Amino acid sequence: MTTDAATQTWTQRLANPTRFMALSGQILPWLTIAAIAVVLYGLYLTFFVAPPDYQQGETVKIMFIHVPSAWLAMMGYLMIAISSFGLLVFRHPLADVSAKSAAPIGAAFTLLALITGSLWGKPMWGTYWVWDARLTSVLILFFLYLGLMALRSSLEDETLAAKQTAVLGLAGVVILPIIKFSVDWWNTLHQPASVVKIDGPAIHSSILVPLVVNAVGFSLLFFALHMKAMRNEVLRRRVKALRMAEVEQAARGRDTSSATAG
Amino acid sequence: MELGPHAAFIWASYAAVAIVLLALAAWLLWDGRRQRQLLEDLEARGVRRRPQR
Amino acid sequence: MSGFLTLLKRDLLLALREGGALGTALGFYLIVVTLMPLGLGPDLNLLTRIAPGILWVALLLAALLSLPRLFEADHDDGSLDVLALGHMPLELVAASKALAHWISTGIPLALMAPILGILLNLEARAYPLVIATMLAGTPAISFLGAIGAALTLKTRRGGLLLALLVLPFYVPTLIFGITSISAALLSPAGFQASFLILTAISLVSLVLGPVAAAAALRQHMQ
């Protein structure tokens, strides 16, 4: 097993859940520490260093968490999509664990992107919700996350649930760009030029640095949460397998004891 | 630290992020501890997986 | 190809003989459209302005109502398993079922829309536009809906789940259906671009729908 490890790719090596547990057990504490440290440094930069934006004033501070949340909302879906592909095409044993664990975390970041976005919109646009292209497409992304979780929870057979969710996840990837593009197009027809963009080419470094630090920090946090969720899921499956084994043992024990008695 | 006229919105959004992420982390920690506990209980009772697995 | 046509003919005959599904969908369409003025008030100018939107949204909901039955009957009586064992690819089976759904539900709903337009004081020049966009857009509803119907085949509370899964996928069709109507009412030139995109979305769904639905059906068979 150890001799052919050199010829395997890292995804193949991780296919063994025991090896994944050992490796992630070593990585996770450091990842968590790194995530917390970078997030705290980002918060320090946000509240004590970054100057108010000349256009948005102090509300630019909301952007420092809104933009990473929105970015991670999309990355979470990308992760589900890659995992779904890994499950359906390569039958990778950990792919479904990854897809299942990423869904609630991605949904949480999508929700945060929506909440912080509307809290930014109220002082800037004068309303909590605008049917703006970005808001609308993030809302639809949120529905897709809900759909993935609902579909999984409604199928009792876990293997079937994993595969069906993967099919939906991949179909969602195909349709997401179309939805995004249609929403953009729909919005420009109805209310042009209402989108205040923070990501212009001329973004000042005093704003950009805290933004990047926060993005890195929250990404590390995402990976740490995802890894922890995956470890929980592996344990959950072990518990389930052991319970099944226990029931089988009990059944077999009864059979043999009744056979010897009779 | 002076956050200007919209301080409430800034605090609210940071509070939302803190609440959601802390709740998520707390749930994951609780869930992990519970699964490990269940696993230990099963192993203590001598349950083994079938050899062919 | 002959297998495809036979299956299509069979499904259409079944839909025709049963009749109930179409009646329910049309009745639901009528009810939703009737409820709108009651909720919004009888202001005819307002209704004229939002009539295309109401007709489109109500059409989506009505079509959604009949989607759970797409594979259900064939799955319950085992004919889906027989079809899966046959030499026809499952993608074609799914395509034929979706096409049958479009012919038996999508087209009648699209043709009923102008009649309901009278209730909403739809502009006279909008009638052909509503029919044209709905005929061009409803294939996407049937073919994308087939994905959801296949995924939720064995689920508890399938109908509600189907709506949650499928409605996000309908967003592009709804948006371009509405924008091509409103663009055409503003200037005839604006119609073509939106309408072509609407048709393109339907064509994409013609490919994506059967492929994904067949993938989902295969997981049930295993």
Side-chain angles (χ1 to χ4, degrees), chain B residues 8 33 46:
Chain B
R33 194 168 296 172

Side-chain angles (χ1 to χ4, degrees), chain C residues 17-219:
Chain C
R17 299 257 166 86
E18 278 183 356
L22 178 60
T24 318
L26 291 177
F28 185 80
Y29 196 16
L30 173 67
I31 300 263
V32 172
V33 170
T34 314
L35 284 177
M36 286 297 171
L38 298 178
L40 296 165
D43 179 0
L44 286 183
N45 289 327
L46 175 70
L47 288 179
T48 304
R49 201 154 51 82
I50 61 177
I54 292 178
L55 289 174
W56 256 101
V57 171
L59 177 113
L60 286 184
L61 297 177
L64 205 60
L65 200 67
S66 55
L67 273 178
R69 303 168 44 85
L70 198 59
F71 297 110
E72 207 173 54
D74 280 345
H75 179 255
D76 289 347
D77 67 10
S79 37
L80 201 58
D81 295 298
V82 176
L83 287 171
L85 289 175
H87 52 75
M88 198 157 104
L90 206 51
E91 280 81 4
L92 269 184
V93 174
S96 122
K97 300 229 155 256
L99 186 61
H101 180 264
W102 179 61
I103 296 173
S104 66
T105 311
I107 292 180
L109 283 172
L111 294 179
M112 193 178 162
I115 304 168
L116 298 177
I118 299 170
L119 292 176
L120 296 171
N121 198 28
L122 188 70
E123 282 179 73
R125 61 205 178 102
Y127 280 89
L129 296 170
V130 168
I131 300 183
T133 56
M134 282 180 174
L135 284 179
T138 39
I141 294 174
S142 295
F143 279 82
L144 291 176
I147 305 177
L151 285 172
T152 55
L153 197 55
K154 275 186 189 164
T155 56
R156 295 160 274 161
R157 55 181 195 277
L160 279 177
L161 181 63
L162 182 62
L164 179 64
L165 298 187
V166 156
L167 280 180
F169 287 60
Y170 287 169
V171 167
T173 301
L174 177 64
I175 286 178
F176 285 107
I178 293 298
T179 46
S180 40
I181 295 176
S182 52
L185 290 178
L186 286 175
S187 70
F191 175 72
Q192 199 188 8
S194 311
F195 189 76
L196 286 178
I197 297 176
L198 179 69
T199 320
I201 291 168
S202 285
L203 290 176
V204 168
S205 71
L206 239 55
V207 179
L208 177 66
V211 170
L217 286 176
R218 268 196 202 101
Q219 318 295 347

Side-chain angles (χ1 to χ4, degrees), chain A residues 17-32:
Chain A
T18 315
R19 202 174 285 161
F20 167 78
M21 289 302 276
L23 189 64
S24 64
Q26 282 176 349
I27 294 174
L28 188 57
W30 299 105
L31 187 61
T32 314

